[in-house]
Amino acid sequence: MSTAVRIPVPPPPSTSPGLALNQNNNKRKRSWSRAVFSNLQRKGLERRFQLQKYITKPDRRQLAATLGLTDAQVKVWFQNRRMKWRHSKEAGKGGENNVDSTQDQDVHIDVDTITDTD
């Protein structure tokens, strides 16, 4: 009695990076998983985002090293966070018939920090 031995055959190379062709139904499936950031990483990213919406490459590399992330993870996080920020700004505007929201807010200006540079 002979036993058949199955040798795994690698799938053909995919044209898109990060995608693999599923042999059963010819649909593409992702070969990567979603990154889940820790609270410390998320707070660090949010803190930097409050300071600068666009992060330079050296700053991005330094932040990634500090938080234990890859450069690409930080880059994509900033791209996604900017989109979220833009959408929230647009949603806050509302319709054109709305009253200017600055009328109802108290504006506090510290006159000691204002300098005259004439």
Side-chain angles (χ1 to χ4, degrees):
M1 181 176 202
S2 70
T3 306
V5 177
R6 290 189 168 220
I7 301 172
V9 178
S14 176
T15 56
S16 300
L19 298 175
L21 194 60
N22 187 338
Q23 296 297 324
N24 296 336
N25 57 11
N26 292 337
K27 290 184 180 178
R28 294 182 185 267
K29 74 170 196 175
R30 298 182 195 270
S31 62
W32 47 269
S33 61
R34 182 180 178 273
V36 179
F37 299 110
S38 71
N39 286 336
L40 181 67
Q41 290 169 331
R42 195 169 21 257
K43 285 178 184 177
L45 290 163
E46 284 289 349
R47 197 173 303 125
R48 180 56 69 94
F49 184 78
Q50 294 303 318
L51 297 173
Q52 56 186 131
K53 305 296 185 238
Y54 291 86
I55 191 166
T56 63
K57 190 179 282 191
D59 288 344
R60 187 174 69 217
R61 288 181 177 159
Q62 185 269 333
L63 182 62
T66 302
L67 298 176
L69 299 169
T70 65
D71 184 56
Q73 285 175 313
V74 173
K75 178 181 178 181
V76 171
W77 186 91
F78 265 80
Q79 289 172 339
N80 292 337
R81 186 63 181 84
R82 280 193 301 270
M83 289 305 296
K84 181 178 176 182
W85 174 64
R86 282 189 199 117
H87 286 293
S88 66
K89 275 182 28 179
E90 290 172 5
K93 286 182 181 177
E96 292 181 6
N97 295 335
N98 288 350
V99 178
D100 185 11
S101 62
T102 58
Q103 291 177 352
D104 297 332
Q105 296 176 353
D106 291 346
V107 178
H108 300 284
I109 300 173
D110 186 0
V111 292
D112 294 336
T113 60
I114 300 174
T115 60
D116 189 2
T117 56
D118 288 340

